């Protein structure tokens, strides 16, 4: 319900604001990527990589900083991972994430078309990685070389805390490999692994009001 009423519209509004900021700073002489001597194709590739890296860093911070984790645990509270889980975020997380993301877009001044393309990919990837689907292992391992798969991201939603602190990437898996946060398989295996938060296991009737209050509750 929280994802449907609050977050689904935001998933379309926020990408538009990122593109708008990119357009606004496209003529800035201070943007790191807004350099006439940089080929357009190189600026687009750099934009894809740097903005995806920024999302990886954001995600790690949400797990590393206790105050941010209190907000982010709303996303991890879903005991039945599926496409709708990709829209389950606390509004406070949306505001914090988007605010810092727009600041980075303003600093980088990436090509607006690259920002628009990446935002579309992120929306599709968010639905895809949270989907209750899987590929044959050889195919999944092949895809993981360039793309984050549902099985790879599902490990991040494990109820085991050490496994929650792995596989932070959004689009590309390379940051997890580079910064040693990649985990190939959960300890219990994909089929036996439980997802969600241990302290919320069995509480499947969490409504929108309890989700909004979750970051402020000391006892779950």
């Amino acid at each position: 319900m929280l994802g449907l009423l609050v977050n689904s519209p935001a998933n379309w509004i926020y990408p538009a604001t990122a593109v708008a900021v990119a357009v606004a700073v496209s003529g800035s002489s201070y943007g790191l990527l807004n350099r006439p001597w940089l080929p357009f194709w190189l600026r687009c590739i750099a934009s894809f990589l740097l903005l995806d890296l920024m999302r990886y860093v954001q995600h790690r911070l949400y797990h590393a900083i206790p105050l941010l984790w209190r907000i982010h645990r709303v996303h991890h509270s879903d005991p039945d991972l599926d496409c709708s889980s990709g829209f389950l975020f606390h509004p406070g997380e949306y505001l914090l994430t988007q605010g810092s993301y727009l600041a980075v877009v303003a600093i980088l001044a990436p090509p607006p078309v690259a920002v628009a393309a990446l935002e579309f990919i992120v929306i599709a990837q968010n639905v895809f990685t949270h989907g209750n689907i899987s590929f044959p292992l050889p195919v999944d391992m092949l895809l993981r070389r360039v793309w984050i798969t549902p099985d790879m991201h599902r490990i991040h939603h494990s109820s085991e805390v050490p496994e929650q602190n792995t596989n932070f990437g959004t689009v590309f898996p390379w940051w997890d490999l580079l910064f040693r946060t990649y985990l190939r398989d959960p300890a219990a295996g994909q089929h036996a692994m439980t997802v969600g938060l241990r302290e919320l296991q069995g509480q499947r009737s969490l409504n929108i009001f309890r989700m909004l209050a979750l970051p402020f509750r000391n006892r779950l």
Side-chain angles (χ1 to χ4, degrees):
M1 184 63 71
L2 178 63
L4 178 64
L5 295 180
V6 179
N7 299 336
S8 293
N11 269 279
W12 297 101
I13 295 172
Y14 284 175
T17 63
V19 176
V21 170
V23 171
V25 299
S26 60
S28 171
S29 59
Y30 300 102
L32 298 181
L33 294 178
N34 197 16
R35 295 291 180 263
W37 49 268
L38 280 175
F40 179 75
W41 64 268
L42 183 58
R43 293 173 58 206
C44 287
I45 292 176
S47 299
F48 267 66
L49 294 176
L50 290 175
L51 291 176
D52 191 55
L53 173 60
M54 188 267 182
R55 292 177 184 275
Y56 169 87
V57 173
Q58 277 184 328
H59 199 170
R60 285 198 68 173
L61 290 176
Y62 274 115
H63 282 255
I65 300 176
L67 181 60
L68 296 180
W69 168 246
R70 294 179 70 87
I71 300 173
H72 184 60
R73 65 183 178 180
V74 171
H75 179 59
H76 281 262
S77 66
D78 196 342
D80 295 308
L81 202 65
D82 55 34
C83 293
S84 66
S85 306
F87 299 99
L88 180 60
F89 291 94
H90 194 277
E93 179 172 348
Y94 263 110
L95 293 174
L96 288 172
T97 299
Q98 189 66 5
S100 56
Y101 185 72
L102 293 180
V104 171
V105 171
I107 293 171
L108 293 178
V113 65
V115 175
L118 180 61
E119 291 301 308
F120 178 80
I121 291 172
V122 167
I123 292 173
Q125 179 74 347
N126 195 31
V127 174
F128 171 67
T129 55
H130 291 93
N132 189 18
I133 59 175
S134 61
F135 298 97
L137 184 59
V139 175
D140 194 83
M141 291 297 109
L142 182 62
L143 289 175
R144 286 192 197 187
R145 295 182 181 181
V146 293
W147 213 257
I148 293 174
T149 66
D151 276 357
M152 178 180 169
H153 185 70
R154 192 175 296 113
I155 298 170
H156 178 72
H157 283 266
S158 168
S159 60
E160 300 294 330
V161 174
E163 294 177 351
Q164 291 172 9
N165 292 315
T166 64
N167 300 353
F168 292 102
T170 300
V171 178
F172 303 118
W174 307 318
W175 313 122
D176 284 297
L177 292 167
L178 179 63
F179 297 110
R180 299 178 182 275
T181 54
Y182 172 71
L183 182 63
R184 170 179 162 165
D185 300 297
Q190 284 286 348
H191 298 292
M193 178 185 69
T194 58
V195 300
L197 299 175
R198 281 187 171 182
E199 57 269 27
L200 292 178
Q201 291 294 323
Q203 298 187 37
R204 298 173 181 268
S205 60
L206 291 175
N207 58 39
I208 185 172
F209 302 106
R210 296 179 70 180
M211 286 289 94
L212 290 172
L214 184 58
F216 312 104
R217 294 161 57 192
N218 290 325
R219 297 178 66 96
L220 300 178

